[in-house]
Amino acid sequence: TRESKLPTELVPRLREAAKKVNFDWDKDFAVTDNTCKTYEGKDALMMREQFAGKVVLQTEEQLAAASVRARSNAANSVQAQQIFFQNEVKEAENAFTYLEDKTVQFEKEIVKDVVGLEKEIVKDVVGLEKEIVKDVVGLEKEVVKDVVGL
C-alpha cells in the first residue's frame, strides 16, 4: 500500500502467508510506521541548511568528476595516438597539442559553469536566509505573545 501505516485488515492475510513459509508473523516481522515527521522552528531550519549544503557538495563533486574524466579521456586518446603513429611523431605531437587546447577550453567552460552555479547557490542561500529571518521573526512574535499573556 502507499499508506504510512500497515492497514489492520491485511494482518490476517500476512500471518497466513508467513505461516506458509515457516515464519511467525508476530515474532519474525516488525510493523514500521512510515509517517513523515513535521519539523518546526529550529529543526526545520537545520534541515533546510543541511539540504542546501548537500546540494552544493554534490554539484561540486560532479563537476570535479567530469573534469577528471575529460582530462583522463584526453590523456588516453593521446596515448592511443602515440602508439598508432609511432613513426609519425610530429603528427602525434600536434594531436597532443590539439587535445591539450581542448582540455583547457573544457576547463574554462567548467569554471564558467561553476561561477554561474555559485551565483545560483548564493541566490538560493539569500532566499533561505530571508525565509529564516521570517521564521525567526514569527517565533519572536509568538514568544512575545506568550510572555505578555503570562
Side-chain angles (χ1 to χ4, degrees):
T1 77
R2 294 183 180 265
E3 297 180 26
S4 60
K5 295 182 180 178
L6 178 67
T8 54
E9 61 269 9
L10 293 180
V11 173
R13 286 177 44 200
L14 293 171
R15 272 198 183 99
E16 285 298 315
K19 193 182 299 180
K20 287 180 184 178
V21 292
N22 297 323
F23 282 100
D24 183 346
W25 169 258
D26 298 310
K27 292 181 183 175
D28 297 324
F29 295 92
V31 177
T32 58
D33 182 4
N34 289 328
T35 305
C36 294
K37 297 177 184 177
T38 56
Y39 293 102
E40 295 180 13
K42 290 182 181 179
D43 290 334
L45 176 64
M46 181 182 66
M47 295 303 285
R48 286 184 190 133
E49 288 174 352
Q50 285 179 349
F51 176 76
K54 287 179 183 177
V55 168
V56 170
L57 289 175
Q58 286 174 351
T59 306
E60 187 178 349
E61 289 170 358
Q62 289 168 349
L63 287 171
S67 177
V68 168
R69 277 194 306 271
R71 185 171 283 185
S72 53
N73 285 345
N76 289 341
S77 179
V78 169
Q79 287 175 349
Q81 286 182 6
Q82 284 176 344
I83 291 169
F84 185 75
F85 296 114
Q86 282 180 349
N87 295 331
E88 300 177 34
V89 175
K90 185 63 178 167
E91 284 185 30
E93 287 175 352
N94 290 341
F96 179 80
T97 303
Y98 174 77
L99 288 172
E100 193 174 53
D101 293 342
K102 288 294 182 182
T103 301
V104 169
Q105 277 182 329
F106 179 75
E107 289 177 347
K108 286 179 182 177
E109 287 178 21
I110 287 179
V111 167
K112 181 179 154 188
D113 291 346
V114 168
V115 168
L117 180 64
E118 285 178 6
K119 288 179 182 177
E120 284 294 320
I121 290 170
V122 166
K123 188 171 80 174
D124 290 347
V125 168
V126 168
L128 278 173
E129 288 175 347
K130 287 179 182 178
E131 242 183 81
I132 291 167
V133 168
K134 188 172 111 181
D135 291 346
V136 169
V137 168
L139 287 172
E140 286 177 347
K141 287 179 181 178
E142 287 181 28
V143 168
V144 169
K145 283 180 186 177
D146 290 346
V147 169
V148 170
L150 293 176

